[in-house]
Amino acid sequence: MALLTDKEILIAKLTGDYERDREFLIKESERMADEGNKDGANAAMELLFEKMPDSERKKIESMFYVNGKRMDAYYKEIETLISEKKNDEAMPMAKALYEKIITAYPETADSKFVSLRNKFEENVYQLMFKPEKTLNVAPFDFARMINTYGYLLVDAQQLEEAEAVLKKASEYNPVDCGPKFELAEAYKLMKKDDELFEITKQTMKIASSPYAIARCYCNFGFYCYDVEDYENAAVFYYISLLFAPHRAVEMELKNVALRMNKKLTPPKEKDIDRTFEKYGLTRGPEETLVSVAAQLANLAFERNDINEALLNLKILYGLTNDEEIKNIILKYEPDALKKAKERFGIEE
């Protein structure tokens, strides 16, 4: 005998009274989401949608559905097509999703929708950008969804359109590095050196992981190489490797060495200081990021929320490389380093 699906189990518990069933399905969806059962939570919401009166269903469709599918399910299909290298098929779907988002969730004179993913981003956003408008929580990660459309446009060499789309993605989450990194790729292809440098400076202020910081320094190196400042390009590429090793950066260093026709050696402290001074950059992590991560970790420990504390301690360690912080993380999660290496594909 086959096991019943989550949806079939829920159907068996419905009474036929819409108001009672509505309350039941919402509670079940929240319960299963808290337990990590995303499929079950989705099944509850799908069933709720099916049972709605037509008038209420149309209102929901206007906000959460695109081409007859819920936004998050529609987006998963786009991701699947991209993973299968079917970008031509993904493009019109991504465009439809983008147009739905900016139409149904626009910024107004008094309010805007944001897709901030956790307390760290919420606090950084408030401190760095000091929003004056009322912030509405978007139902899905709009910044990521729009960024994917921007990526497809960059891949298709539709660069001016990509620039506008990626800027829109950042409006929904200004502290997400993803759209800014993709915009940097567009500027590289457009040969807009000044814009590349400026967007990289902006990204550096919100880069909260060693990998994001490394990519920023790599982009600074690319900028210097493009304007034929090879000495400083080498400095930035070397610093990038200190934060996160990457073969592509190693290859860029070889290109710099060929251009300069000499063997390169890691820069000395005075060389690094000179490079940062020339380009008006500050060494070290952004103070706001360090402060927010530290405060959130302490508050989480005070209320015994270990998962939340660890999330922020990992950010703090990535920014500071402090051994004491690493030891605290390993105390609560002994295999944290192994998990991090697996996640980012780092080999011993």
Side-chain angles (χ1 to χ4, degrees):
M1 183 176 177
L3 294 174
L4 294 176
T5 64
D6 288 314
K7 190 171 184 179
E8 289 169 337
I9 293 172
L10 291 168
I11 290 173
K13 295 180 179 180
L14 297 182
T15 66
D17 181 318
Y18 173 66
E19 290 302 325
R20 288 176 63 185
D21 290 342
R22 179 180 183 276
E23 184 178 354
F24 165 72
L25 289 170
I26 290 173
K27 287 182 178 178
E28 284 298 285
S29 177
E30 292 173 348
R31 178 183 65 79
M32 289 188 280
D34 289 341
E35 294 173 353
N37 183 1
K38 292 183 180 180
D39 290 337
N42 286 337
M45 295 312 294
E46 287 173 6
L47 191 54
L48 174 61
F49 183 72
E50 292 172 8
K51 298 296 180 181
M52 282 180 181
D54 287 344
S55 59
E56 193 170 342
R57 187 184 298 118
K58 287 178 181 178
K59 291 179 182 178
I60 295 295
E61 282 183 335
S62 69
M63 293 297 293
F64 301 116
Y65 280 65
V66 56
N67 291 339
K69 297 179 181 178
R70 207 171 68 182
M71 283 180 168
D72 54 340
Y74 193 76
Y75 179 65
K76 283 183 180 179
E77 291 185 14
I78 295 170
E79 287 189 307
T80 298
L81 288 171
I82 293 173
S83 69
E84 295 172 350
K85 303 189 185 303
K86 296 178 180 178
N87 288 8
D88 289 344
E89 294 180 40
M91 178 76 85
M93 292 180 65
K95 182 178 181 181
L97 181 56
Y98 166 70
E99 291 176 345
K100 178 71 176 186
I101 292 169
I102 63 173
T103 301
Y105 300 88
E107 181 173 352
T108 69
D110 303 313
S111 65
K112 64 179 296 185
F113 283 90
V114 290
S115 299
L116 304 169
R117 296 170 292 190
N118 49 51
K119 292 178 182 178
F120 175 77
E121 288 192 347
E122 290 169 6
N123 281 269
V124 170
Y125 178 70
Q126 290 285 350
L127 290 168
M128 283 191 173
F129 295 90
K130 298 177 173 57
E132 297 180 356
K133 295 184 179 183
T134 299
L135 301 181
N136 300 314
V137 179
F140 306 109
D141 191 343
F142 288 160
R144 181 183 176 190
M145 290 175 172
I146 297 175
N147 184 49
T148 297
Y149 179 41
Y151 157 77
L152 289 168
L153 289 168
V154 171
D155 184 67
Q157 297 287 309
Q158 298 178 36
L159 301 176
E160 290 186 2
E161 188 173 352
E163 181 180 9
V165 166
L166 291 165
K167 286 181 178 179
K168 181 64 69 175
S170 277
E171 290 177 14
Y172 286 97
N173 187 351
V175 294
D176 181 357
C177 291
K180 291 179 172 60
F181 279 137
E182 201 59 52
L183 187 53
E185 296 307 308
Y187 287 144
K188 290 176 186 178
L189 293 170
M190 297 166 81
K191 298 296 183 182
K192 289 187 174 182
D193 293 326
D194 291 344
E195 288 84 349
L196 169 62
F197 185 82
E198 183 57 34
I199 195 62
T200 304
K201 279 183 67 176
Q202 292 177 27
T203 313
M204 195 72 211
K205 289 183 178 296
I206 59 169
S208 59
S209 75
Y211 309 95
I213 295 170
R215 188 167 177 180
C216 286
Y217 285 130
C218 178
N219 283 344
F220 281 133
F222 185 99
Y223 166 83
C224 290
Y225 186 91
D226 226 34
V227 298
E228 300 183 3
D229 182 2
Y230 302 122
E231 289 279 358
N232 288 311
V235 171
F236 282 127
Y237 283 138
Y238 270 117
I239 298 174
S240 176
L241 290 174
L242 289 177
F243 281 89
H246 200 291
R247 284 190 59 81
V249 179
E250 294 172 3
M251 293 302 298
E252 292 297 340
L253 272 171
K254 290 181 180 179
N255 290 335
V256 172
L258 288 172
R259 282 283 186 174
M260 298 177 69
N261 195 29
K262 71 174 187 180
K263 182 179 179 181
L264 297 178
T265 56
K268 298 178 181 178
E269 286 296 309
K270 63 179 182 179
D271 299 322
I272 298 173
D273 288 338
R274 186 165 54 244
T275 296
F276 274 74
E277 183 178 351
K278 176 177 179 178
Y279 285 105
L281 301 173
T282 303
R283 291 186 66 178
E286 182 69 28
E287 290 183 8
T288 299
L289 303 180
V290 174
S291 175
V292 168
Q295 290 183 47
L296 288 176
N298 287 333
L299 289 171
F301 274 126
E302 286 177 7
R303 61 177 185 271
N304 202 32
D305 187 343
I306 303 303
N307 288 334
E308 178 73 17
L310 286 173
L311 185 147
N312 288 287
L313 282 177
K314 289 172 184 177
I315 294 172
L316 190 59
Y317 176 62
L319 290 166
T320 63
N321 203 33
D322 188 315
E323 284 293 310
E324 289 187 16
I325 296 170
K326 182 177 81 171
N327 291 334
I328 296 172
I329 294 170
L330 293 176
K331 174 184 174 182
Y332 290 96
E333 190 178 333
D335 59 348
L337 288 177
K338 180 182 177 182
K339 288 180 180 177
K341 289 177 180 178
E342 290 174 351
R343 178 184 174 192
F344 294 102
I346 299 174
E347 298 179 357
E348 295 292 348

